């Protein structure tokens, strides 16, 4: 097989890159190791930045999102019985976010690609990326029981932290930055209408809690728990009781309860691998960086990576120029580190931990008080949450 760009990974990053390249007239093939059902069922992020929403609309993948997604104009911070709303449009010149699950984004992109797009092979297990630093890289993979080779001019590694692409870069040529947090999130899906119109981020002495949603009838909620937590050890009643305690606020607000349909534990970590390019191999999304979910940046960072890469590959296709390709890693990493900074700030500020001194804990509360009392501090949070402009 022969193509211009071989894309490893059929998640949102790989699929969006394929869509952008197809519309620009650049040939590509997407190789995804899992089957379609698995890919479309993977539960991941649910908050889309303004730039991600705009990108999906521009490439023809925004129709269902606009019908079914939930446009949010702010978030609420809760601490010490106090509630403060951060008004995104008022603080960012009209920008907002969309609540639309990553599973739905993937379904939309897959449907587009299978109807009008480049080849997408499910069940294509990538065995190796060969010669990534040569003029003729190749991807060796197994599909339908037969080993094949995809010859290409460029390779896009969109297969996540555990994928083949990241490991194809020699360790001696990389620098890794990492932080593992001493707590996790216990996440639940519940068949109950959300108890709020916008997301609630709550800091309580018992731990952090987040109230999100997947639809007007399905709530998504999270609790800060110990890193080694087994979700089976948490009964539904215990979860609802703990959520109610952490969301408690002065006034008559109450958390609605309903059947919990899924439980999972999400580890918290920050990770960056530099550079994001090795020869003709370009890393995107979780293959190059991971953020804790508190800042809602993971999927959105992957989107901005592939937008940047698509622009660079399109320029090369049209003019032969390698200028944007040569600057890909540096361009992406500037934005990555801003997202890492913001995600760390949100995580560190909102999660209490017994290893901190009372002084350190009080500083975190002071930071939240500053956001609540200062339009300037609120604007800084809002600008980062809705998404910084592409660099």
């Amino acid at each position: 097989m022969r193509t211009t760009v071989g894309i490893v990974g059929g998640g949102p990053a790989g699929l969006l890159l394929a869509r952008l390249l197809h519309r620009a007239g650049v040939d590509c093939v997407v190789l995804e190791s899992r089957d379609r059902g698995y890919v479309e069922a993977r539960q991941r992020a649910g908050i889309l930045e303004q730039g991600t929403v705009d990108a999906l609309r521009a490439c023809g993948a925004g129709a269902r999102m606009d019908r079914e997604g939930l446009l949010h104009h702010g978030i609420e911070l809760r601490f010490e019985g106090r509630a403060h709303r951060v008004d995104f449009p008022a603080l960012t010149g009209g920008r907002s976010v969309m609540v639309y699950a990553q599973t739905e984004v993937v379904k939309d992109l897959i449907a587009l690609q299978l109807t009008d797009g480049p080849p997408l092979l499910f069940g294509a297990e990538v065995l190796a990326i060969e010669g990534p630093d040569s003029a003729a890289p190749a991807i060796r993979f197994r599909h339908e029981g037969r080993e094949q080779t995809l010859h290409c001019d460029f390779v896009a590694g969109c297969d996540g932290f555990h994928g083949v692409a990241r490991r194809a870069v020699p360790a001696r040529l990389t620098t890794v930055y990492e932080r593992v947090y001493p707590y996790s999130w216990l996440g639940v899906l519940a068949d109950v209408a959300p108890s709020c119109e916008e997301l609630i981020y709550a800091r309580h002495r018992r731990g952090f809690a987040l109230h999100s949603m997947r639809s007007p009838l399905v709530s998504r909620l999270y609790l800060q728990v110990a890193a080694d937590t087994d979700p089976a050890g948490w009964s539904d009643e215990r979860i609802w009781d703990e959520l109610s305690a952490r969301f408690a606020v002065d006034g008559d607000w109450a958390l609605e309860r309903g059947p919990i349909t899924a439980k999972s534990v999400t580890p918290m970590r920050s990770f960056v691998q530099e550079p994001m390019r090795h020869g003709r191999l370009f890393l995107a999304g979780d293959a190059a960086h991971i953020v804790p979910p508190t800042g809602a940046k993971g999927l959105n960072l992957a989107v901005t990576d592939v937008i940047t890469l698509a622009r660079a590959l399109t320029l090369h296709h049209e003019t032969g120029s390698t200028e944007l390709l040569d600057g890909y890693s540096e361009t992406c990493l500037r934005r990555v580190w801003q997202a890492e900074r913001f995600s760390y700030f949100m995580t560190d500020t909102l999660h209490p931990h017994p290893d901190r001194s009372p002084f350190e804990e009080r500083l975190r509360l002071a930071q939240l008080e500053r956001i609540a009392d200062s339009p300037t501090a609120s604007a800084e949070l809002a600008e980062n949450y809705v998404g910084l402009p592409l660099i």
Side-chain angles (χ1 to χ4, degrees):
M1 296 177 64
R2 183 75 175 83
T3 191
T4 302
V5 183
I7 301 174
V8 182
L15 292 168
L16 179 58
L17 177 60
R19 186 68 186 164
L20 295 172
L21 293 178
H22 176 65
R23 290 170 67 89
V26 181
D27 294 335
C28 62
V29 173
V30 181
L31 304 175
E32 167 54 47
S33 63
R34 301 285 192 164
D35 62 46
R36 180 177 180 179
Y38 181 93
V39 173
E40 292 186 338
R42 282 187 290 211
Q43 291 290 334
R44 294 290 189 273
I47 305 296
L48 308 183
E49 292 178 357
Q50 181 74 64
T52 299
V53 170
D54 294 343
L56 292 172
R57 288 172 177 159
C59 77
R64 192 164 71 94
M65 173 189 69
D66 285 331
R67 290 196 308 271
E68 300 178 11
L70 306 174
L71 187 63
H72 279 205
H73 298 295
I75 59 173
E76 185 175 292
L77 301 176
R78 292 188 178 184
F79 58 97
E80 300 293 287
R82 178 179 181 181
H84 170 71
R85 181 175 183 267
V86 179
D87 186 327
F88 292 157
L91 296 165
T92 65
R95 295 165 68 83
S96 297
V97 297
M98 182 80 75
V99 175
Y100 190 63
Q102 177 173 313
T103 50
E104 306 310 309
V105 173
V106 168
K107 290 174 186 176
D108 295 342
L109 289 169
I110 287 175
L112 270 177
Q113 182 135 340
L114 295 179
T115 301
D116 172 34
L120 165 58
L121 302 183
F122 291 107
E125 178 190 3
V126 173
L127 305 173
I129 298 172
E130 299 174 340
D133 56 347
S134 72
I139 305 171
R140 189 159 50 83
F141 67 99
R142 184 182 294 111
H143 183 240
E144 297 180 343
R146 186 165 64 92
E147 190 169 310
Q148 302 180 56
T149 300
L150 176 63
H151 298 278
C152 42
D153 297 328
F154 303 98
V155 178
C158 305
D159 55 343
F161 178 81
H162 298 289
V164 173
R166 187 177 70 85
R167 300 197 302 272
V169 182
R172 70 181 186 280
L173 301 179
T174 67
T175 302
V176 170
Y177 303 89
E178 188 171 19
R179 179 183 181 87
V180 177
Y181 296 84
Y183 39 76
S184 296
W185 278 8
L186 171 62
V188 301
L189 277 173
D191 285 340
V192 60
S195 302
C196 50
E197 295 183 357
E198 297 172 336
L199 272 68
I200 300 173
Y201 288 78
R203 188 190 201 279
H204 191 275
R205 59 182 177 80
R206 300 166 68 104
F208 168 78
L210 171 62
H211 192 322
S212 183
M213 60 282 294
R214 285 293 179 263
S215 77
L217 299 176
V218 178
S219 296
R220 182 70 161 153
L221 305 109
Y222 299 92
L223 286 167
Q224 177 186 348
V225 293
D228 59 352
T229 293
D230 180 355
W234 283 73
S235 68
D236 291 7
E237 183 179 10
R238 181 185 178 193
I239 290 171
W240 286 119
D241 287 347
E242 192 64 26
L243 286 166
S244 295
R246 296 189 192 184
F247 286 126
V249 66
D250 296 339
D252 59 1
W253 185 89
L255 179 66
E256 296 296 328
R257 303 186 179 204
I260 291 177
T261 59
K263 301 176 188 178
S264 61
V265 171
T266 301
M268 306 285 281
R269 69 187 309 190
S270 300
F271 171 87
V272 181
Q273 176 172 307
E274 298 185 5
M276 292 173 58
R277 176 191 182 183
H278 174 57
R280 293 190 169 216
L281 168 61
F282 298 83
L283 303 180
D286 287 359
H289 43 74
I290 295 172
V291 290
T294 326
K297 289 287 163 271
L299 170 61
N300 296 293
L301 269 184
V303 167
T304 54
D305 285 348
V306 298
I307 289 173
T308 303
L309 183 54
R311 290 176 179 174
L313 291 166
T314 300
L315 178 66
H316 180 271
H317 174 73
E318 294 174 348
T319 70
S321 171
T322 64
E323 179 183 359
L324 295 183
L325 290 171
D326 293 339
Y328 169 76
S329 180
E330 181 181 355
T331 299
C332 288
L333 284 169
R334 286 199 296 270
R335 185 182 179 89
V336 166
W337 278 110
Q338 288 303 315
E340 292 282 355
R341 176 196 60 80
F342 177 67
S343 298
Y344 174 80
F345 162 76
M346 290 286 284
T347 303
D348 184 67
T349 303
L350 289 165
H351 291 72
H353 196 267
D355 289 348
R356 294 195 194 116
S357 68
F359 176 81
E360 291 172 314
E361 287 296 303
R362 189 63 186 84
L363 285 179
R364 272 70 176 181
L365 288 174
Q367 179 62 60
L368 290 171
E369 290 164 356
R370 171 66 178 168
I371 293 169
D373 297 338
S374 166
T376 301
S378 282
E380 171 68 11
L381 188 155
E383 288 170 0
N384 281 273
Y385 199 97
V386 302
L388 298 174
L390 276 174
I391 299 174

